[in-house]
Amino acid sequence: MTKRTILLLSTLMSMLLGSAQDYALKTDLPTVYVETFDGKGITSKEVYKYCKLHYVDEDGLVTHYDSVSIRGRGNSTWNMAKKPYKIKFNEKEKLLGKGYAKAKKWTLLANAGDKTMMRNAVTSALGRRTSLPFNPAAKFVDLVLNNVYQGTYQISDQIDVRPHRVDITEQNYPLGQNDNITGGYLLEVDGFHDGNWFNTTTYRAPVRIHYPEDDEIEERQTIFIKNQVNNFERLLASDNFADSLRGYRACVDTATLIDWYICTEVSANIDGFYSTYFYKDQSNPRFYWGPLWDYDIAYNNDERVRSEQQLSSSVRSLMVDIAYSGSRSWVRRMWEDEWFQKSVYNRFKQLMDDGLVEYMQNTVDSLQDVLSLSQEMNYAKWGINRKMYHEMVLYSSYEQYVSDLKNFIADHCAFLLQAFADRKPLEPTPPFEPQDYYYHIVNAKTMKAMDVTGTNVVQNTDDRTKERQDWMVRKVGESFMLINHGMDMALNDPTTGSVGPTENVGTQLNVAATNEEKSSQLWKLIPQGTVGYYNLENVHTQHVANLHGGNAADNTPVVSYTNDSRNSSSMNRLWYLVPNGPLSPEDSGIESIEPEYYALAYNPQTHFLHFGSETPEALTFTVQVHSAKGILIGTFTASEGFSLQNQPKGMYIVSWKAGRKTRKLKLER
């Protein structure tokens, strides 16, 4: 038998026999032995009980602590079978060694509702990846209480004010007459209304004052910090709330605000607004956000999301839309600020580009290795598929829970990238500047493309392989000609008789032999709105191209129609131009040589596209990548390559034109 198997069997036999143990390691993790003075268990989360604590590190070295106190902790977690605890030393102890706090109070998290037991630790690592300066410790141990093995636990920081925790100015106690009471303060929006708390005046958020502590804080400190929080809310609710100097941003540290919010969304923590920590330092007018705390039901690990929101999971949800109340009202108001919208998207895009998903998944893998042996013992006691709280799913193996967490991180981050982009204020549609592409002219209402039947112009289902849906846009003076690739004829307004913006409308558009001298073939592309739409206005008739009746059916005519104030709002009149491959050499005037032997390769592990060729000097053509919906994802020169790493899963279309040949293929990300 292996050493691992012998260790497991020995420990399990000891658990079954209930025999007293020497202070030895249970697994390859440190082991913490707690022995209460009365030999009885911990039954209260308010009253401490005296105990001895013996800490056995990874090398088997034992440190003994006398006169330690222990009690239960947590709110809903205290009601679980595997219970969390708080320990308190008589003197400050550097329990976890160099780089960690020296403190009296520490927590022993059971992570009972999280079958991976690592969600809090993963979130602490997520905080370290961002600008958040204070992130709770995550040291995993095996716990033995009164000679009875309790399972895998996590030693973590008590959230309080001191070096290596929330490292802000500690106020004097007792307070002097002239002491500076502007900070520090540690606060929490606390839905449980614990401790010394107050409701804010504007949004009625329950704010708890953690520091100064309940038995040390004076009334003038309470009044000061209440006024500071209420002033922040007043500015947030004001008409000038989005002003950087007169609005809420004058009261907050924007870097930690944005990163705290992003971490709340990445983790999909339904309690992220119900419990929100923030703090204020001395002589600093701004509130800072964090630390991140209590994430065991995050990352799609709470079935109440499904039952209360009618969702199958939180994969495709924003917490600002579905999470419990608290600071959520603040964030919803912030989402009305264009600065906040842009900042959230830009920061998250930066984190994604810097490998956020890979970093988090690597963290999960590392923690799985750390917990490998200990979790086996833990679930021998507690059961791997036993429902402890509100778990979304139950599996029969630890590996399945870990895989579920990793998949959620990847899928949810892909969703967030698009969701944040959708909420980011769109830039005004720019004047159209044609590139060396064929374009599909797609109607904003039906998402169908301008096509040609006979010589009549109609709409049909968008098909990137149809040359009659490809249009070359050629600049002629201040106007444009739209030349159909399949017909080699120009878009034309054949209206006869008197013309004007509202006169003689309704004639079906057609294509005609190209003639730059004919104003009926010249068009203005007029930007509309903030979504990339254009009106196509004919120079001769002053009419705009309109989808007849807004009909969604194929072969619906495109007609010459009224030009008035509804141009920007009528979806029948709005079109967007989607690049669909480079122009042919005869259209572009640029000679293109197709390599004699070349191939496109796609790596499903790295999600990277690249070409290989025996004549790499000929890889000069431009390649386009579109989503299945026809949205241009990006372009690249064939000699360079392109990454789909940050794109959501789905089908993609890759197209290019080399020589006189157009090539297209589909691939699945």
Side-chain angles (χ1 to χ4, degrees):
M1 290 188 292
T2 65
K3 179 180 177 182
R4 173 189 180 96
T5 304
I6 294 171
L7 182 56
L8 267 175
L9 290 175
S10 174
T11 305
L12 291 172
M13 286 298 294
S14 298
M15 291 166 52
L16 292 172
L17 296 173
S19 60
Q21 296 294 299
D22 293 330
Y23 303 128
L25 292 174
K26 292 294 183 184
T27 68
D28 49 358
L29 293 183
T31 301
V32 173
Y33 292 84
V34 173
E35 299 164 354
T36 59
F37 283 7
D38 62 5
K40 296 180 181 179
I42 295 93
T43 58
S44 172
K45 65 174 188 169
E46 283 80 32
V47 180
Y48 280 100
K49 177 176 285 193
Y50 284 110
C51 66
K52 293 182 179 181
L53 187 147
H54 314 277
Y55 184 91
V56 188
D57 69 15
E58 293 93 330
D59 297 322
L61 180 64
V62 184
T63 305
H64 303 279
Y65 301 94
D66 289 323
S67 299
V68 182
S69 301
I70 186 168
R71 67 169 174 83
R73 66 164 307 278
N75 290 297
S76 54
T77 53
W78 177 244
N79 298 317
M80 299 183 196
K82 183 186 177 190
K83 297 185 180 301
Y85 302 104
K86 178 183 289 186
I87 54 177
K88 183 171 70 172
F89 296 91
N90 275 349
E91 303 293 336
K92 294 178 181 178
E93 297 287 352
K94 213 165 180 63
L95 180 61
L96 298 183
K98 186 178 180 180
Y100 293 95
K102 184 177 183 180
K104 291 183 179 181
K105 296 178 182 178
W106 298 82
T107 62
L108 280 167
L109 302 181
N111 293 313
D114 170 16
K115 291 296 193 296
T116 70
M117 298 186 289
M118 65 174 69
R119 281 174 164 82
N120 280 310
V122 168
T123 306
S124 183
L126 172 62
R128 292 195 298 273
R129 186 74 169 186
T130 67
S131 67
L132 301 182
F134 312 127
N135 299 285
K139 182 71 172 181
F140 288 98
V141 299
D142 297 310
L143 177 64
V144 178
L145 175 60
N146 291 332
N147 293 323
V148 179
Y149 170 75
Q150 298 297 316
T152 308
Y153 277 70
Q154 176 187 335
I155 297 179
S156 190
D157 291 298
Q158 172 74 14
I159 303 300
D160 61 7
V161 173
R162 67 184 62 256
H164 295 295
R165 289 188 175 170
V166 181
D167 193 1
I168 56 178
T169 304
E170 296 184 51
Q171 298 196 50
N172 291 331
Y173 177 77
L175 201 62
Q177 181 70 28
N178 298 315
D179 281 353
N180 184 345
I181 65 168
T182 62
Y185 293 91
L186 175 61
L187 310 168
E188 178 192 9
V189 177
D190 181 9
F192 287 106
H193 304 84
D194 283 341
N196 179 19
W197 69 278
F198 63 92
N199 271 330
T200 58
T201 56
T202 305
Y203 290 97
R204 309 302 294 170
V207 175
R208 177 180 179 180
I209 305 173
H210 280 277
Y211 181 85
E213 295 181 9
D214 298 2
D215 57 351
E216 295 183 358
I217 192 168
E218 292 190 10
E219 184 178 9
R220 55 181 165 146
Q221 293 168 305
T222 300
I223 292 172
F224 173 82
I225 196 59
K226 277 186 178 180
N227 288 339
Q228 293 294 304
V229 176
N230 285 325
N231 181 58
F232 156 71
E233 277 203 339
R234 179 183 61 80
L235 295 176
L236 182 62
S238 71
D239 292 340
N240 296 317
F241 82 106
D243 189 286
S244 62
L245 298 178
R246 295 182 294 169
Y248 72 98
R249 274 185 277 161
C251 298
V252 302
D253 174 71
T254 55
T256 56
L257 169 65
I258 295 300
D259 280 351
W260 160 79
Y261 173 66
I262 286 174
C263 289
T264 301
E265 292 291 2
V266 168
S267 62
N269 187 9
I270 197 171
D271 273 348
F273 307 120
Y274 195 74
S275 172
T276 300
Y277 280 92
F278 61 115
Y279 53 92
K280 181 186 179 301
D281 208 349
Q282 196 171 83
S283 302
N284 187 330
R286 301 180 187 276
F287 288 111
Y288 290 72
W289 301 77
L292 305 172
W293 180 252
D294 197 12
Y295 279 70
D296 56 332
I297 64 171
Y299 303 94
N300 201 35
N301 190 38
D302 193 325
E303 66 181 356
R304 291 172 295 179
V305 174
R306 178 170 55 204
S307 61
E308 294 189 11
Q309 305 296 336
Q310 303 301 309
L311 299 168
S312 60
S313 75
S314 51
V315 175
R316 303 192 64 77
S317 303
L318 287 174
M319 293 302 103
V320 76
D321 293 333
I322 70 170
Y324 296 123
S325 59
S327 63
R328 189 171 70 147
S329 298
W330 297 351
V331 178
R332 283 185 164 180
R333 176 63 165 164
M334 292 172 186
W335 265 117
E336 298 176 32
D337 179 6
E338 286 193 6
W339 169 85
F340 187 82
Q341 297 164 9
K342 291 178 181 178
S343 297
V344 169
Y345 172 77
N346 291 336
R347 175 58 170 154
F348 185 64
K349 180 68 164 56
Q350 178 189 30
L351 289 169
M352 289 289 281
D353 289 345
D354 289 344
L356 178 65
V357 170
E358 183 180 11
Y359 167 79
M360 293 184 70
Q361 291 184 332
N362 287 343
T363 301
V364 172
D365 289 339
S366 297
L367 290 170
Q368 183 179 10
D369 291 340
V370 168
L371 292 168
S372 176
L373 186 56
S374 183
Q375 64 83 15
E376 291 185 33
M377 284 184 57
N378 180 83
Y379 290 118
K381 179 179 179 71
W382 296 110
I384 192 71
N385 58 359
R386 175 184 176 183
K387 195 173 186 67
M388 297 290 269
Y389 190 47
H390 293 296
E391 296 96 321
M392 181 75 77
V393 293
L394 294 174
Y395 294 119
S396 60
S397 74
Y398 185 70
E399 289 71 23
Q400 287 174 293
Y401 289 108
V402 172
S403 178
D404 187 76
L405 174 58
K406 290 177 65 177
N407 289 337
F408 175 82
I409 290 169
D411 293 344
H412 187 57
C413 283
F415 161 77
L416 289 178
L417 193 62
Q418 185 61 54
F420 291 156
D422 290 343
R423 292 197 175 207
K424 179 173 67 75
L426 297 168
E427 304 298 330
T429 301
F432 188 81
E433 290 294 334
Q435 306 297 317
D436 290 333
Y437 300 124
Y438 294 109
Y439 292 89
H440 276 215
I441 305 173
V442 180
N443 182 259
K445 181 177 182 180
T446 64
M447 306 295 286
K448 293 190 174 184
M450 201 176 280
D451 201 342
V452 180
T453 300
T455 58
N456 291 325
V457 176
V458 298
Q459 76 161 8
N460 276 317
T461 300
D462 194 7
D463 182 348
R464 298 307 164 94
T465 67
K466 289 184 67 174
E467 290 190 345
R468 288 185 310 176
Q469 291 183 9
D470 284 340
W471 299 81
M472 180 177 65
V473 183
R474 178 189 297 168
K475 198 157 189 177
V476 180
E478 297 300 315
S479 304
F480 299 94
M481 289 188 74
L482 306 176
I483 302 171
N484 187 268
H485 185 202
M487 301 288 290
D488 197 24
M489 302 173 77
L491 182 66
N492 179 66
D493 185 341
T495 302
T496 57
S498 60
V499 292
T502 61
E503 293 183 58
N504 197 13
V505 298
T507 301
Q508 184 171 6
L509 301 182
N510 64 8
V511 291
T514 57
N515 185 342
E516 293 183 3
E517 303 299 321
K518 297 189 68 172
S519 59
S520 63
Q521 294 183 20
L522 300 180
W523 300 82
K524 297 178 181 179
L525 274 61
I526 302 174
Q528 293 290 358
T530 60
V531 288
Y533 293 145
Y534 296 86
N535 294 134
L536 276 60
E537 179 184 318
N538 188 263
V539 171
H540 171 63
T541 63
Q542 302 172 59
H543 298 166
V544 294
N546 182 87
L547 184 62
H548 182 65
N551 196 323
D554 281 355
N555 292 310
T556 298
V558 179
V559 299
S560 171
Y561 203 66
T562 303
N563 180 349
D564 59 20
S565 61
R566 294 188 63 227
N567 283 353
S568 62
S569 59
S570 173
M571 301 295 278
N572 301 338
R573 308 180 192 181
L574 294 173
W575 307 82
Y576 62 96
L577 286 80
V578 182
N580 189 46
L583 295 175
S584 63
E586 59 269 23
D587 286 336
S588 66
I590 300 173
E591 183 178 358
S592 176
I593 303 172
E594 185 172 30
E596 186 173 356
Y597 299 107
Y598 71 104
L600 174 62
Y602 173 65
N603 187 322
Q605 279 73 46
T606 62
H607 308 294
F608 191 74
L609 285 164
H610 68 95
F611 283 83
S613 174
E614 294 182 357
T615 54
E617 67 277 2
L619 294 174
T620 59
F621 49 87
T622 300
V623 186
Q624 294 182 311
V625 183
H626 289 84
S627 71
K629 294 182 178 179
I631 299 172
L632 181 66
I633 302 300
T635 61
F636 65 97
T637 302
S639 61
E640 296 174 349
F642 185 79
S643 175
L644 290 169
Q645 176 69 41
N646 294 322
Q647 299 301 327
K649 293 180 180 179
M651 192 68 68
Y652 291 86
I653 301 167
V654 184
S655 62
W656 66 94
K657 194 160 191 174
R660 295 180 177 271
K661 298 177 181 179
T662 300
R663 312 284 190 183
K664 294 185 182 181
L665 61 82
K666 293 182 180 180
L667 63 87
E668 188 168 1
R669 154 83 169 84

